[in-house]
Amino acid sequence: MKNLCCIFTAISLFFFSFNAFSSNEELQKTSFHKSYGYERVGDYKNAINSLIGLYKKTPKDYILNLRLGYLYYLQGSFSNAKFHYLAAKKISPNALSPQLGMMRISNVKENFDDAELLGYKVIKKDFYNYYANLYLSYALRKNKKYDNAAEIDKKMLDVYPDDTTFLLEYGLLKFQQKDYAKTKEILSLLLVLEPENVSAKEVLSQISQTQG
C-alpha cells in the first residue's frame, strides 16, 4: 500500500510538472508573438509589456533578456537595455550578441572608447563578425582613428566587396579625411549597387559644392 501511494505521488508530480512546463511554453509563445507584433508597428512600450509577465516567471532566461535589451534599446531606455544585456551575458558568458548590444548603446551615447574596447574583444573571438566590425569601424572613425578604421573597412570589403553598408562607412571615412577622389570612387560604386542611397548622394553633393 505504501509503495502504491508513492507511485501515485510520483505520477501526480509528473503531471503537475508537465502541465507547468506546457503552461510556461504557451506563455512564452504568446508573449513573444505579441511582442513581435507590437515591434513591427513601432510600439516598443507594448512590445516590452508583452514580455513582462514571462520575465517575472523566468528572469534568468537568456533569450528573454536579450530580447528585452534590444527592445529597450529601440525605445531609447539605455539603462534598462544595458541591465538586460548584462544579465544575458551573465547567463551565457561566451555569447557575443549581448556584447554587440552593448556596442550599439555605447555608439549611440557617444562612448566610443567603450565601443572600441568591446569591439576588439569580440573580433578577437570572431574575426569577421559583421556587426562587431561595423560598430567598431564607426567608433574608430568617430574617435578620428582613421588608419585603424580603414583597416577594419578594407578587411571587411575584402570578403564582402559588394556590401553597401561597409562601402558607405569607408566612403564616410575618406570624406572625413578629405580624400575626395577616393570618396567619389567608393560612393560611386555604392550607388551602382544601391542607386537610391540617400547618404551617398548627400556626401557626393557636398563634395561637388566644395569643389565648385
Side-chain angles (χ1 to χ4, degrees):
M1 188 69 178
K2 184 178 179 181
N3 288 339
L4 190 60
C5 288
C6 290
I7 291 170
F8 280 131
T9 301
I11 291 172
S12 298
L13 287 172
F14 171 77
F15 280 110
F16 176 78
S17 299
F18 178 78
N19 289 334
F21 173 79
S22 298
S23 176
N24 285 338
E25 188 177 34
E26 189 59 35
L27 176 62
Q28 183 184 50
K29 288 180 180 178
T30 303
S31 299
F32 273 84
H33 180 74
K34 287 182 179 178
S35 179
Y36 284 119
Y38 283 121
E39 183 194 348
R40 278 194 292 272
V41 297
D43 188 350
Y44 303 127
K45 180 179 179 181
N46 278 316
I48 292 165
N49 288 340
S50 299
L51 299 172
I52 295 302
L54 180 62
Y55 177 72
K56 288 178 180 178
K57 284 179 173 271
T58 56
K60 293 184 179 181
D61 183 281
Y62 169 79
I63 297 296
L64 183 55
N65 275 285
L66 192 66
R67 171 76 177 151
L68 285 168
Y70 178 63
L71 289 171
Y72 277 119
Y73 165 79
L74 292 176
Q75 190 187 50
S77 302
F78 299 127
S79 59
N80 286 327
K82 183 177 179 179
F83 173 86
H84 286 287
Y85 279 136
L86 289 175
K89 186 178 184 302
K90 187 175 181 180
I91 295 162
S92 296
N94 293 321
L96 299 181
S97 293
Q99 296 182 69
L100 296 176
M102 292 295 294
M103 287 184 73
R104 281 196 298 266
I105 294 171
S106 295
N107 276 340
V108 169
K109 296 185 74 174
E110 299 186 355
N111 296 328
F112 301 122
D113 290 340
D114 291 344
E116 279 186 48
L117 185 63
L118 282 169
Y120 281 119
K121 282 182 179 179
V122 173
I123 65 173
K124 188 175 181 180
K125 291 183 177 180
D126 185 0
F127 190 63
Y128 284 106
N129 185 289
Y130 184 88
Y131 288 106
N133 280 281
L134 182 60
Y135 302 152
L136 176 57
S137 172
Y138 177 84
L140 290 166
R141 176 166 63 83
K142 287 295 185 178
N143 265 344
K144 298 183 179 181
K145 297 180 180 179
Y146 298 133
D147 290 341
N148 292 339
E151 283 181 17
I152 298 292
D153 293 337
K154 287 188 284 188
K155 175 187 82 172
M156 296 304 288
L157 286 168
D158 185 51
V159 292
Y160 301 109
D162 59 338
D163 187 89
T164 54
T165 304
F166 270 102
L167 283 169
L168 178 61
E169 185 59 40
Y170 193 31
L172 292 174
L173 169 63
K174 288 301 173 182
F175 180 65
Q176 281 188 217
Q177 290 181 296
K178 298 184 179 181
D179 186 346
Y180 298 142
K182 189 65 176 178
T183 303
K184 286 194 283 187
E185 177 190 329
I186 296 164
L187 296 185
S188 294
L189 173 59
L190 168 54
L191 288 174
V192 170
L193 298 166
E194 195 174 286
E196 299 305 316
N197 191 292
V198 175
S199 298
K201 288 182 176 181
E202 287 179 352
V203 171
L204 290 174
S205 177
Q206 289 181 51
I207 292 174
S208 296
Q209 291 173 16
T210 301
Q211 294 180 335

